[in-house]
Amino acid sequence: MTREEEKIILQRIRKGESDLYAEIVRTYSSRVLSLVTGMLGLKEDAEEITQDIFVKAYFSLDKFRGDSSFSTWLFRIAYNMSVSSLRKKKSIFVRADNLAHLPDEEEVPPGESNQKEERLVLLERMLAELTEEERFLILLYYNEDKSIKEIAEITGLTESNIKIKLFRIKNKIREKTVLNPEVCYG
Amino acid sequence: MDSEDIKIQEILSGIKNIPVKQDFAPEVLKRIESERVAREVLKENREAMWFIIATAFGAAVIAGLFYYFNSEAINSFFADFSLGKTNLDRIIAIESVNLKSSWFEPFKNTFNGSNTLLWIVISVNTILLTLLGVYLEKRLKDLK
């Protein structure tokens, strides 16, 4: 769906064609679910919260002015709701088996399964070292390719603050986990 | 992006675009519909709530005023009101005066002629009702 098509769909939804919202949900559900899972850890909780996020977004559509992209606006709601959810219930952290539904799970040739498992362990270790906010930041930056400016819009932090946080996150990862072979395999 | 960034990105790709096994859309649409109905009900309840608060407030003020201006003044008011009216109107007015007198007897006995306590009750009642209204409004806002 192009941005222009998306804009038209959103206008039609605002005018009352609420069934079209299914298109929006299908377009973004995987991305929102990935972010929320990365932040909260538990997939079951993440699925529930992802649905809440789309319901909340629907009733807030009038507030979306189109200054930023829809995904930026939606991720802001996702961030706020994930933070509220964390306040209510401190979730245990991501375990590899929660992520064992990687995109090409069934298609991985047998020889590559070890490599995939290693990657999962690295991912688990990496995320375990970070706070919820840090996880959300790196997922936005590395997975969603959001710019510093967009991340600032989503999280409400200043751009310089985000740059500092990303720098620290990278240092943390380097020192404790995946980028340091001694720690990782020692 | 340097090599470290690329490595981080590669590892994080494990959590990129997690496939949604179950289509969320029907469930989300269903929840939107029930939420919409709930909001409608809440909106109607809110209107009813403010109506009750306004009525209770009005009734409290009127009761206070009736008590404040003693029965002599009330009698006089209704008597003047009934002048020049038809017999039926006069009867209704007289009945009203009688009713009024009987209504306020308990007040007089309870407060022994002092209206201070009555005003305190009215004020506290009004404050509590208003706080209830403000609280419910906030709850409604939180839902949005």
Side-chain angles (χ1 to χ4, degrees), chain B residues 50 53 56-57 60 119-135:
Chain B
W50 281 115
I53 290 173
F57 177 74
W119 281 112
I120 291 171
V121 171
I122 290 168
S123 306
V124 171
N125 180 37
T126 308
I127 290 166
L128 287 177
L129 284 169
T130 309
L131 285 176
L132 174 72
V134 171
Y135 169 74

Side-chain angles (χ1 to χ4, degrees), chain A residues 4-150:
Chain A
E4 203 51 43
E5 285 170 339
E6 187 176 272
K7 207 173 157 187
I8 292 165
I9 287 180
L10 289 171
Q11 276 173 353
R12 288 174 64 186
I13 294 168
R14 280 200 201 98
K15 283 178 186 166
E17 293 182 63
S18 55
D19 285 352
L20 279 175
Y21 194 61
E23 286 297 311
I24 298 289
V25 175
R26 287 189 187 110
T27 305
Y28 289 102
S29 54
S30 169
R31 291 168 70 184
V32 173
L33 180 65
S34 303
L35 275 175
V36 179
T37 306
M39 190 169 179
L40 302 182
L42 289 173
K43 190 175 167 261
E44 291 72 22
D45 282 0
E47 284 184 351
E48 184 69 24
I49 291 166
T50 301
Q51 290 186 8
D52 290 343
I53 289 164
F54 281 108
V55 173
K56 171 94 175 169
Y58 177 85
F59 286 104
S60 306
L61 270 183
D62 288 339
K63 291 177 192 160
F64 174 61
R65 297 187 304 272
D67 299 338
S68 58
S69 69
F70 182 74
S71 65
T72 299
W73 181 78
L74 185 65
F75 292 163
R76 181 167 178 77
I77 294 176
Y79 176 73
N80 289 337
M81 289 189 72
S82 301
V83 169
S84 319
S85 161
L86 279 168
R87 280 192 200 127
K88 285 180 200 157
K89 187 171 89 177
K90 202 78 185 162
S91 79
I92 56 166
F93 188 62
V94 179
R95 293 175 51 84
D97 51 3
N98 276 315
L99 307 171
H101 48 275
L102 290 169
D104 49 357
E105 191 175 14
E106 281 86 24
E107 297 152 25
V108 178
E112 288 177 29
S113 62
N114 280 348
Q115 196 185 343
K116 195 191 142 204
E117 273 173 28
E118 274 173 24
R119 220 171 59 178
L120 273 174
V121 172
L122 287 177
L123 174 65
E124 187 181 321
R125 291 182 71 152
M126 180 198 277
L127 296 179
E129 290 297 333
L130 305 175
T131 64
E132 291 86 5
E133 186 191 55
E134 288 171 339
R135 283 178 229 151
F136 202 81
L137 290 181
I138 57 164
L139 289 171
L140 285 175
Y141 187 71
Y142 289 108
N143 276 2
E144 290 295 332
D145 294 323
K146 291 285 179 192
S147 66
I148 302 289
K149 193 181 170 209
E150 284 173 310

Side-chain angles (χ1 to χ4, degrees), chain B residues 42 60 90 97 101 118 135:
Chain B
L42 199 63
R90 196 170 290 123
V97 172
S101 300
L118 180 67
Y135 169 74

Side-chain angles (χ1 to χ4, degrees), chain B residues 26-126:
Chain B
E27 182 60 28
V28 169
L29 290 182
K30 209 162 80 183
R31 285 176 62 175
I32 286 171
E33 196 45 46
S34 57
E35 177 85 13
R36 202 201 310 270
V37 172
R39 280 164 190 248
E40 277 300 312
V41 171
L42 199 63
K43 196 179 159 195
E44 284 167 16
N45 285 351
R46 181 175 60 162
E47 284 162 5
M49 174 193 76
W50 281 115
F51 178 76
I52 291 166
I53 290 173
T55 309
F57 177 74
V61 169
I62 290 166
L65 288 173
F66 267 52
Y67 184 75
Y68 186 76
F69 298 107
N70 60 49
S71 58
E72 291 300 319
I74 301 296
N75 277 332
S76 161
F77 171 76
F78 277 107
D80 292 346
F81 184 72
S82 63
L83 283 176
K85 303 285 179 184
T86 63
N87 285 339
L88 183 63
D89 289 334
R90 196 170 290 123
I91 289 164
I92 292 169
I94 291 165
E95 283 303 312
S96 302
V97 172
N98 290 338
L99 272 175
K100 180 269 315 161
S101 300
S102 59
W103 287 352
F104 289 99
E105 280 308 315
F107 280 100
K108 283 180 182 172
N109 294 335
T110 307
F111 303 125
N112 198 23
S114 164
N115 58 15
T116 309
L117 188 58
L118 180 67
W119 281 112
I120 291 171
V121 171
I122 290 168
S123 306
V124 171
N125 180 37
T126 308

